[in-house]
Amino acid sequence: GSSTSQLCKTINMTADPNIQQEKPSSTMSTTASTNTDILTLVSNALGGKSVPETPEEAAFVEEILAAELNELSLVERDLILFDVHGLPTADEDDPPNVNEYFTQLERALEESSSEDKSAYELVVQQYPNYVSSNEFRLMFLRSEKFDVPKTAAKIIHHFNVKRYLFGDGEVMGRPVKLKDLSEDDMESLEAGFIQVSPTRDAAGRTILLLAPGQRKFKALENLMRTMWYTISTALMDEDSQKKGIVAIMYKRGTPLNREDWEHLHQVMWVREALPKKVVAVHQCVDESLRPLLAAHKLFLLTKDLRARVRPHVGDHEDVLFELQTYGIPANEELILPDGSLSLAWHQEWLGMRRAQEEEIQTGSKDDGVILPKKFDVLFGRGKNTREHTGNLRCALLVEMHLERYEKANKQEKTEITRQILAQVHDSGGRFLKHDKKTGWQEVDRDAAREKISHFFRFLRSKVVSEEGQPPESELKRVTPTPAPSSQGVEGQGEPSSKQFRGNDI
């Protein structure tokens, strides 16, 4: 639209790739400084302009950015494609000699020539157990793919930004909590501009949703603290650290204004301070916002991130369909046609975080809001639970062991349930039960084994109903099947064949 074109013209008149925002000094290189070469190339191609002003110019810039991929090696391009499409790579695993990296990182932090290490040194003096813990440092090493110099710079930058946003009190020695946010911060957080999706992508990765048109804040710091809290909480999940995060930016209709553009520069400064590994970025816009999409990639993303961006330009239904081709669930109840995000799940997520933070004791590990993974086995009723991949897989494992289980004594049955439990755990699966206050929680081994025993009892009841009553001796040997309860799994109708089906439970 004309307003988008006018904004792009304004940016062209004021754009400076080396602009610095008024904030504490940082050891991290700015995104803009790493983009100088490509900005020069674009400016020459557009007759001196830095930003495309029409969809046609945006398409031309996209071609230049696509050609940038050719500077990457074949291996680098393949790794990025694997990440974008959710295919497994070696980057998801920690190196076997991780302790050596801890030693190198300690040395790099001590020898750092950063202009301002005061925030980091403050934390080392007052909260050494926090900043020196393997858990904390491993999170940063993973985000930089175990590049030690970059990791050291990011840790120093992290505490500079954290002190700027939250002060130098005891919050510097622990993760940020809801109680650290002001009333204005909470208003910004509750607006739902940034949300953690309730479902993972097909590769089991956390999805971060951003709706720029939904931002609400009185001061920019409100927005920055909102982003810090949400992203940091998502990173409590170890899979988010190892597999990375998929980001979806969804904006339709209303263009950014000049003030928005300046805010984005400062928000990116916060982004660089957090130990997140972004593996894919999906920018969903309508045709009128295409020039700004190209400008966003030019000014605010590094070369590596630009290679991971996939634009989706079109109407709402087409965009959701394209996201599905990347293994991203099309949640029409969450992502709305007007470019906004529903607040229903976000409010539930915030409620679970409040309950979790109230219950967690000082010094205890906070795993954040648990999002079920592919091979998790879920307790409870309902179609989503019955058809969850982990439940179907566990049902298949039970079916494979049924004949042996039926002939076993009590001790042997216990051993069979332990073997199935081990198979679920070995694949990264957990046994999860939903709590109304705190969300999904992992149950203990005894409860997990009882869940597996319930699978066996349920399967046997189906076989009995299909084949008629078994011999009297069998009835004496096997415990009658109890009716499914709210804590177990739900049966749905009679099966059409003897074969056990996952959607029966």
Side-chain angles (χ1 to χ4, degrees):
S2 58
S3 55
T4 300
S5 177
Q6 182 59 45
L7 172 59
C8 290
K9 290 178 181 177
T10 303
I11 296 171
N12 272 319
M13 290 187 291
T14 59
D16 178 0
N18 295 307
I19 188 171
Q20 296 290 328
Q21 301 296 331
E22 185 178 346
K23 53 183 179 287
S25 60
S26 170
T27 56
M28 297 291 289
S29 61
T30 63
T31 301
S33 65
T34 66
N35 293 345
T36 303
D37 292 342
I38 194 71
L39 286 172
T40 300
L41 181 62
V42 168
S43 179
N44 292 338
L46 297 181
K49 294 186 293 186
S50 298
V51 177
E53 297 175 3
T54 66
E56 292 75 21
E57 289 181 345
F60 185 65
V61 171
E62 290 289 350
E63 291 181 11
I64 295 176
L65 295 177
E68 187 181 38
L69 282 173
N70 293 329
E71 300 176 15
L72 301 173
S73 69
L74 182 60
V75 172
E76 290 173 325
R77 288 201 298 271
D78 284 346
L79 285 175
I80 289 174
L81 285 175
F82 275 42
D83 279 344
V84 171
H85 289 275
L87 300 175
T89 66
D91 284 347
E92 294 178 7
D93 300 321
D94 295 333
N97 57 337
V98 67
N99 286 331
E100 294 181 16
Y101 285 95
F102 289 143
T103 302
Q104 294 175 27
L105 179 57
E106 178 65 30
R107 187 182 306 116
L109 287 166
E110 290 176 355
E111 298 175 354
S112 172
S113 58
S114 169
E115 295 179 2
D116 185 6
K117 289 174 59 177
S118 60
Y120 168 74
E121 290 170 345
L122 170 71
V123 178
V124 170
Q125 292 172 3
Q126 297 188 9
Y127 312 101
N129 292 337
Y130 176 67
V131 71
S132 300
S133 69
N134 288 347
E135 179 185 339
F136 178 84
R137 295 190 173 187
L138 186 56
M139 180 167 55
F140 281 83
L141 283 165
R142 286 168 175 162
S143 73
E144 294 298 332
K145 300 180 180 179
F146 289 83
D147 184 314
V148 172
K150 288 184 178 180
T151 302
K154 174 163 277 191
I155 288 176
I156 293 171
H157 179 58
H158 171 85
F159 286 111
N160 282 339
V161 178
K162 189 174 186 180
R163 181 167 62 176
Y164 173 78
L165 292 176
F166 299 97
D168 55 8
E170 54 96 19
V171 68
M172 292 290 284
R174 59 167 173 78
V176 173
K177 300 180 180 180
L178 288 171
K179 69 178 185 180
D180 301 311
L181 305 181
S182 68
E183 184 177 336
D184 290 341
D185 295 337
M186 287 302 304
E187 186 176 2
S188 179
L189 179 61
E190 290 168 352
F193 147 66
I194 179 170
Q195 301 185 25
V196 179
S197 171
T199 54
R200 300 174 186 264
D201 75 351
R205 301 178 300 192
T206 298
I207 301 171
L208 202 62
L209 302 166
L210 298 101
Q214 213 161 314
R215 291 171 302 162
K216 184 177 182 180
F217 55 93
K218 293 181 180 178
L220 184 58
E221 285 74 17
N222 303 141
L223 187 67
M224 296 162 80
R225 284 189 282 267
T226 291
M227 292 192 66
W228 185 287
Y229 177 80
T230 305
I231 297 172
S232 296
T233 302
L235 290 172
M236 291 176 178
D237 173 54
E238 189 171 327
D239 274 3
S240 296
Q241 301 171 27
K242 288 184 173 182
K243 295 184 176 183
I245 288 176
V246 175
I248 299 176
M249 188 276 284
Y250 205 97
K251 183 169 179 61
R252 307 187 69 80
T254 306
L256 298 173
N257 56 41
R258 173 63 189 172
E259 184 181 42
D260 292 331
W261 189 257
E262 293 172 343
H263 291 167
L264 281 172
H265 278 277
Q266 298 190 50
V267 168
M268 293 304 105
W269 176 66
V270 174
R271 181 196 71 187
E272 292 176 345
L274 294 169
K276 70 186 192 321
K277 179 171 66 174
V278 177
V279 291
V281 179
H282 296 273
Q283 295 180 325
C284 309
V285 299
D286 54 33
E287 188 67 30
S288 67
L289 297 177
R290 194 165 186 170
L292 281 179
L293 187 151
H296 179 269
K297 291 170 70 174
L298 276 171
F299 283 93
L300 302 177
L301 300 184
T302 62
K303 181 178 179 180
D304 177 73
L305 270 181
R306 283 200 293 269
R308 298 173 183 276
V309 171
R310 294 298 180 271
H312 306 284
V313 181
D315 61 34
H316 181 66
E317 291 76 14
D318 289 343
V319 166
L320 291 185
F321 176 78
E322 286 186 25
L323 290 175
Q324 290 183 75
T325 66
Y326 289 88
I328 298 171
N331 191 332
E332 297 183 11
E333 296 180 355
L334 178 58
I335 304 176
L336 305 179
D338 63 356
S340 66
L341 302 174
S342 168
L343 294 179
W345 156 250
H346 187 57
Q347 291 169 350
E348 182 181 347
W349 183 86
L350 285 173
M352 289 186 287
R353 283 304 298 155
R354 288 190 186 96
Q356 288 175 339
E357 291 179 7
E358 289 173 1
E359 292 184 6
I360 290 173
Q361 301 297 319
T362 303
S364 300
K365 189 175 185 299
D366 185 355
D367 293 321
V369 174
I370 294 179
L371 303 178
K373 298 187 290 187
K374 180 164 57 176
F375 292 140
D376 288 340
V377 180
L378 309 181
F379 284 62
R381 295 175 177 269
K383 180 180 178 182
N384 290 339
T385 298
R386 295 195 310 274
E387 297 183 356
H388 183 71
T389 303
N391 287 54
L392 297 175
R393 180 174 180 267
C394 189
L396 178 60
L397 291 172
V398 166
E399 183 178 6
M400 292 168 61
H401 290 82
L402 179 62
E403 183 176 352
R404 178 182 162 213
Y405 185 85
E406 289 297 283
K407 296 177 180 179
N409 59 34
K410 183 177 180 180
Q411 184 177 355
E412 290 169 340
K413 287 181 177 179
T414 299
E415 180 57 30
I416 292 171
T417 60
R418 284 176 177 168
Q419 291 173 5
I420 295 176
L421 177 62
Q423 287 179 284
V424 172
H425 284 166
D426 289 346
S427 65
R430 302 162 294 182
F431 286 77
L432 304 178
K433 189 173 184 178
H434 195 268
D435 180 270
K436 291 183 179 180
K437 288 180 61 179
T438 58
W440 291 105
Q441 299 296 321
E442 187 170 6
V443 303
D444 60 29
R445 296 178 68 86
D446 289 341
R449 286 199 299 269
E450 176 57 30
K451 175 73 171 178
I452 295 170
S453 297
H454 185 88
F455 272 77
F456 275 114
R457 293 194 298 269
F458 189 89
L459 174 56
R460 185 175 187 280
S461 72
K462 289 297 182 183
V463 173
V464 169
S465 67
E466 291 174 1
E467 296 184 347
Q469 289 294 328
E472 185 177 352
S473 60
E474 288 292 313
L475 287 175
K476 291 179 179 178
R477 182 170 58 83
V478 180
T479 304
T481 305
S485 68
S486 61
Q487 295 182 356
V489 287
E490 180 185 14
Q492 296 291 316
E494 297 297 324
S496 58
S497 66
K498 178 179 178 181
Q499 183 180 9
F500 179 66
R501 300 173 302 168
N503 62 356
D504 287 332
I505 63 173

